[in-house]
Amino acid sequence: MPFTLPSRIPSGPRRRSLLAGAAGVGAALLTGCSSSDSSETTKGSPSAAERARARAALDSERLAERYGAVLAVHPTLAERLSPLRAEVVRHAEAFGGGKKASESASASASADPSDAPSPGPSAEVPAVEKDALAELAAAERTLADRRTKALLDVPGELARLLASVAAAGAVHAFLLTEDEKK
């Protein structure tokens, strides 16, 4: 039986395929990994795991607030940032948080962007869209790196969830900086 080579594959992933793939895989992984299993004692104590889960939820909520702040200052970025922000809100919910993030997401979806929640005094949004996107990408990268480092200190299910969300954050950072590379 002869072996046939597959037809030529495009040279790289496209933004839409990355976003759609990340959203689909991330949603599947998050729903599969979001329940906590208290009987799992592979690594770390339950209290350490709960602290890591609470920290991850809070980090995702804060990141969602940063997205909201950027959208309030730069509403023209809504088409590009809204799907990423929605993913971050789902991440917070998967970690057991997200009440604050999901409330602000539903409020900003139905209201004027100027009504988005305030990210706090420390989160100044750059006036230039490119700089605002770079700031969000840096925040996504930093958070993905922190979550990757935390993998060694938490039990299996939480580690898988952290790994999935860290990978999604890396994809978000890529998508936020994609225009710079053209």
Side-chain angles (χ1 to χ4, degrees), residues 19-64:
L19 185 58
V25 170
L29 287 173
L30 289 176
T31 57
C33 298
S34 62
S35 66
S36 67
D37 185 3
S38 60
S39 66
E40 190 171 344
T41 58
T42 313
K43 291 183 182 178
S45 67
S47 61
E50 289 306 312
R51 283 192 309 269
R53 183 179 291 275
R55 167 84 187 256
L58 182 61
D59 287 344
S60 290
E61 288 172 351
R62 288 180 177 163
L63 185 59

Side-chain angles (χ1 to χ4, degrees), residues 117-136:
S118 170
S122 63
E124 298 264 341
V125 176
V128 179
E129 283 184 2
K130 184 177 178 179
D131 294 340
L133 291 173
E135 184 267 344
L136 277 175

